[in-house]
Amino acid sequence: MTAPKNVLAVIAPHVGGRAAGAGLATLFPGEAEVTVVERTDENPEALRAAHVVITALAPVTAEHLAAAPELRLVQCASHGFDYVDVEAARDLAVPVCTIGSSGAEAQNVAEQTFALMLALAKQLVPAHNALVEADWALPRLQRSLTELSGKTLGIVGLGQIGREVARRAVAFDMSVVYAGRRRVPEETEARLGGARHVPLDELLRVSDYVSLHAPLTDDTRHLLDAPRLALLKPTAFVVNTARGALIDQDALADALEKGALAGAGLDVFDPEPPTPALRLLRAPNVVLSPHVGGVTRETLVRIALAAVQNVAGYLAGDPPRDIVSGPAPAR
């Protein structure tokens, strides 16, 4: 088969749309024909002719895959892949790839995680809002102020992003425990301040802060449900910069409203953007941001380069990296 050259770049509007896609298209070698859209089925002819689909948080469904008979590769411009029907792609022998090994998002997501943790510990949002209203809130806020130093940070998912978070935790004098399918090498644990691998339920019981960095799969959807949230200390904080559906959002709102948790910092929601009915928008002691982890100017350049390099390598005959759905077909 001739090396595939038709590339469909699908950039969701809430992460830049056509403007961002136009910049991404300029990174490809001249022999690639790149079509930029904001929805996967926006241009049926381009989808039908596509050999490669690059998607930036735009859904790629089983129907989309069935409508692309020439498709040989789906490249996610992200660490996550929950917006692609991986099972349908596997059935069609179409590999789905992420940018996982590039670490393109790790720095900024780790920084955003700590921005949320610090905002919660120092009560920055209520302090700011009070001062704007000419309210010297120090006496009221003082009993809620706390430090990161000496606290235990529980990291759920110690991949590249989780490790960057752990590195920063050590700098803040925090102890690190982590949960995941596999224990990392002992030398990695040592570099992360003696991080300890523990079962998830134990992590929830002992942590002062819980930070989620796991992929969203059938197994991890609502990983933090009501029973697991009930394991947390009433003084604990939950931070999620991974995927909104890792948490049962209603259960989290219940816990916050009842005072069973000290607070939550959320950069991700289910769905995105969140609907006005989302109770977490009005829950007490939450700090919210609109999925800004991973979208700094520097990060977007690294993400685009990582996605394009993987696809360009595949077009040139190299095996693709970071496959999450199965082997690449012979060409």
Side-chain angles (χ1 to χ4, degrees):
M1 159 180 173
T2 305
K5 300 185 186 307
N6 295 328
V7 177
L8 182 65
V10 193
I11 315 299
H14 68 283
V15 291
R18 285 184 181 80
L24 182 145
T26 65
L27 301 175
F28 273 95
E31 61 268 19
E33 294 289 337
V34 183
T35 302
V36 177
V37 295
E38 295 184 345
R39 300 186 325 275
T40 309
D41 55 4
E42 178 182 318
N43 185 331
E45 289 187 10
L47 178 59
R48 188 162 47 248
H51 298 102
V52 174
V53 167
I54 296 181
T55 172
L57 301 185
V60 179
T61 67
E63 290 74 19
H64 296 145
L65 294 166
E70 302 300 319
L71 191 62
R72 296 294 178 268
L73 182 75
V74 175
Q75 173 68 55
C76 299
S78 64
H79 280 69
F81 52 91
D82 49 286
Y83 49 95
V84 176
D85 191 326
V86 173
E87 291 299 322
R90 184 179 292 119
D91 290 343
L92 294 170
V94 173
V96 177
C97 299
T98 70
I99 59 165
S101 64
S102 72
E105 296 174 293
Q107 296 290 335
N108 187 50
V109 176
E111 289 183 6
Q112 184 66 17
T113 298
F114 267 84
L116 292 171
M117 288 170 60
L118 286 165
L120 290 164
K122 308 307 177 187
Q123 294 287 291
L124 290 182
V125 172
H128 170 87
N129 291 340
L131 279 172
V132 168
E133 297 298 324
D135 174 11
W136 186 255
L138 176 59
R140 185 173 69 256
L141 295 177
Q142 191 169 14
R143 62 181 178 271
S144 300
L145 299 174
T146 186
E147 300 175 352
L148 299 188
S149 177
K151 302 301 191 298
T152 297
L153 172 61
I155 298 175
V156 182
L158 200 69
Q160 287 203 327
I161 294 173
R163 294 181 198 193
E164 287 298 323
V165 171
R167 241 177 18 94
R168 287 159 175 77
V170 172
F172 274 90
D173 247 350
M174 303 181 81
S175 299
V176 176
V177 295
Y178 69 97
R181 289 177 298 174
R182 290 181 294 274
R183 182 181 174 183
V184 302
E186 289 185 9
E187 55 268 28
T188 301
E189 293 180 338
R191 284 198 302 271
L192 300 177
R196 293 188 299 114
H197 183 245
V198 298
L200 177 59
D201 286 359
E202 180 181 344
L203 179 148
L204 297 174
R205 291 189 184 97
V206 303
S207 295
D208 300 296
Y209 292 81
V210 173
S211 188
L212 301 181
H213 301 287
L216 179 60
T217 65
D218 290 341
D219 291 335
T220 61
R221 183 174 296 275
H222 288 188
L223 185 69
L224 294 193
D225 55 12
R228 282 207 166 114
L229 289 168
L231 298 175
L232 287 156
K233 306 173 187 178
T235 55
F237 298 92
V238 172
V239 176
N240 189 7
T241 55
R243 285 293 186 266
L246 292 173
I247 301 178
D248 181 331
Q249 295 178 139
D250 281 327
L252 179 59
D254 285 340
L256 292 165
E257 290 165 2
K258 294 173 183 174
L261 283 178
L266 306 173
D267 187 49
V268 288
F269 305 89
D270 180 31
E272 289 187 351
T275 68
L278 181 68
R279 292 166 55 200
L280 288 170
L281 300 179
R282 293 168 294 281
N285 204 21
V286 294
V287 179
L288 310 175
S289 54
H291 205 151
V292 299
V295 294
T296 59
R297 293 189 299 271
E298 299 90 341
T299 304
L300 289 174
V301 171
R302 292 195 297 267
I303 289 171
L305 286 172
V308 169
Q309 286 169 358
N310 202 24
V311 171
Y314 179 62
L315 296 178
D318 298 332
R321 300 184 304 275
D322 301 312
I323 296 175
V324 295
S325 64
R331 295 185 298 145

